[in-house]
């Protein structure tokens, strides 16, 4: 290995190895499920697994490109690595959330209708905004929205109340709390460290939303766009090691949850 290559790998090797190993395992699980009939829940979880794998591969490619680049042109885009790390972790948590094996049919119906409901609302928001910006009539694209929203709302009421949720709790689900019992509940349910997730989520969110660590502390962190600073390498390594843990947890779940229709304890729900 060239000396320059070794120098650039310093502070990155453990993260690269951890994320690459976890991602290879996830790819193997995904490929083992190709061409096999699955339930709707299994298919959704498999799609999320592939989405997470894509994020992980992008992270590894960004880091490797910086390592392989010539001297003084080694851009390590730690901003994008951090943002991709956040969405990869989000994908893993959502995948674990919908594939939870202990759910009964009523609980799964509640979860999936909450997700459908928020998808409908988000679609309405962005189509309406795009229509206004382009001075275009979006009425046809949104013609089914009122009926769909009402139907999904009634389903959430029915399944939520059957689970013993109060009317207030059901309304909160429809107001924006996509994860039933909150995202921390989903993390805890998956057997992951809630405090560690809070730290990952809070820190990496700042790079997604453009908060202080991404620019105000640039001088303190010696951010450079030709040769990465120690901080840039530290951050990328932190992201890769963190993401690898969630990847491993999700891949392990999918190994037991997919590969045969009978591995979904609920069977075909829809």
């Amino acid at each position: 290995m060239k000396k320059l290559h070794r120098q650039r790998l310093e502070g990155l090797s453990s993260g690269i190895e951890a994320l690459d190993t976890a991602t290879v395992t996830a790819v193997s699980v995904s490929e083992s499920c190709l061409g096999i009939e699955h339930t709707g829940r299994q298919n959704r979880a498999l799609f999320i697994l592939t989405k997470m794998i894509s994020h992980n591969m992008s992270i590894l490619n960004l880091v490797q490109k910086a390592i392989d680049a010539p001297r003084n042109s080694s851009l390590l885009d730690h901003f994008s690595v951090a943002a991709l790390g956040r969405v990869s972790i989000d994908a893993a948590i959502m995948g674990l959330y919908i594939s939870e094996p202990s759910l009964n049919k009523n609980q799964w119906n509640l979860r999936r209708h909450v997700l459908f409901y928020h998808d409908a609302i988000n679609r309405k928001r962005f189509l309406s905004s795009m229509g206004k910006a382009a001075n275009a009539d979006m009425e046809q694209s949104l013609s089914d929205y009122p009926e769909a929203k009402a139907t999904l709302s009634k389903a959430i009421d029915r399944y939520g109340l059957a689970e013993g949720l109060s009317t207030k709790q059901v309304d909160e689900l429809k107001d924006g709390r996509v994860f039933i019992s909150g995202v921390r509940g989903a993390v805890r349910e998956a057997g992951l460290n809630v405090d560690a997730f809070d730290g990952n989520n809070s820190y990496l969110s700042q790079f997604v939303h453009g908060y202080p660590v991404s620019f105000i502390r640039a001088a303190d962190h010696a951010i450079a766009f030709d040769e990465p600073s120690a901080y840039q390498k530290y951050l990328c390594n932190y992201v890769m090691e963190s993401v690898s843990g969630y990847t491993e947890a999700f891949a392990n779940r999918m190994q037991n949850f997919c590969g045969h229709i009978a591995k979904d304890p609920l069977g075909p729900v829809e």
Side-chain angles (χ1 to χ4, degrees), residues 6 15 26 31 34-35 70 88 91 99 129 145 183 212 214 227 233 255:
R6 287 201 304 271
E31 290 181 341
L34 293 174
S88 181
S99 65
S129 297
Y145 172 73
V183 65
S214 65
E227 288 296 321
K233 289 190 284 188
Q255 203 159 21

Side-chain angles (χ1 to χ4, degrees), residues 84-148:
L84 284 165
R86 161 67 194 272
V87 294
S88 181
I89 291 172
D90 282 349
I93 297 303
M94 178 58 76
L96 288 164
Y97 178 73
I98 70 170
S99 65
E100 172 55 43
S102 68
L103 297 180
N104 60 42
K105 284 192 176 182
N106 190 79
Q107 291 169 330
W108 168 235
N109 274 321
L110 176 58
R111 291 192 180 192
R112 71 187 183 94
H113 281 89
V114 168
L115 293 172
F116 293 157
Y117 183 85
H118 285 280
D119 174 69
I121 290 176
N122 287 334
R123 183 173 182 274
K124 196 261 185 185
R125 284 174 179 165
F126 77 71
L127 285 176
S128 296
S129 297
M130 290 169 66
K132 289 179 181 178
N135 196 26
D137 184 3
M138 305 301 289
E139 184 176 347
Q140 185 173 354
S141 298
L142 295 169
S143 61
D144 61 343
Y145 172 73
E147 182 179 353

Side-chain angles (χ1 to χ4, degrees), residues 31-181:
E31 290 181 341
S32 72
C33 294
L34 293 174
I36 297 173
E37 182 182 3
H38 287 96
T39 66
R41 185 162 73 130
Q42 288 172 320
N43 281 326
R44 291 188 179 100
L46 283 167
F47 178 86
I48 296 171
L49 179 68
T50 305
K51 179 179 184 293
M52 182 196 69
I53 289 169
S54 299
H55 297 322
N56 292 1
M57 292 176 69
S58 294
I59 291 170
L60 289 166
N61 285 337
L62 283 170
V63 174
Q64 192 61 52
K65 185 175 181 179
I67 291 172
D68 295 339
R71 181 183 289 277
N72 297 324
S73 59
S74 179
L75 170 63
L76 179 57
D77 184 7
H78 69 286
F79 308 108
S80 294
V81 168
L84 284 165
R86 161 67 194 272
V87 294
S88 181
I89 291 172
D90 282 349
I93 297 303
M94 178 58 76
L96 288 164
Y97 178 73
I98 70 170
S99 65
E100 172 55 43
S102 68
L103 297 180
N104 60 42
K105 284 192 176 182
N106 190 79
Q107 291 169 330
W108 168 235
N109 274 321
L110 176 58
R111 291 192 180 192
R112 71 187 183 94
H113 281 89
V114 168
L115 293 172
F116 293 157
Y117 183 85
H118 285 280
D119 174 69
I121 290 176
N122 287 334
R123 183 173 182 274
K124 196 261 185 185
R125 284 174 179 165
F126 77 71
L127 285 176
S128 296
S129 297
M130 290 169 66
K132 289 179 181 178
N135 196 26
D137 184 3
M138 305 301 289
E139 184 176 347
Q140 185 173 354
S141 298
L142 295 169
S143 61
D144 61 343
Y145 172 73
E147 182 179 353
K149 181 183 178 183
T151 300
L152 292 168
S153 179
K154 289 178 181 177
I156 293 169
D157 290 340
R158 182 169 70 254
Y159 294 122
L161 294 175
E163 280 303 301
L165 299 181
S166 67
T167 301
K168 180 181 177 182
Q169 289 173 312
V170 171
D171 288 341
E172 287 175 344
L173 286 176
K174 290 187 283 190
D175 283 343
R177 302 188 184 187
V178 178
F179 287 98
I180 297 165
S181 77

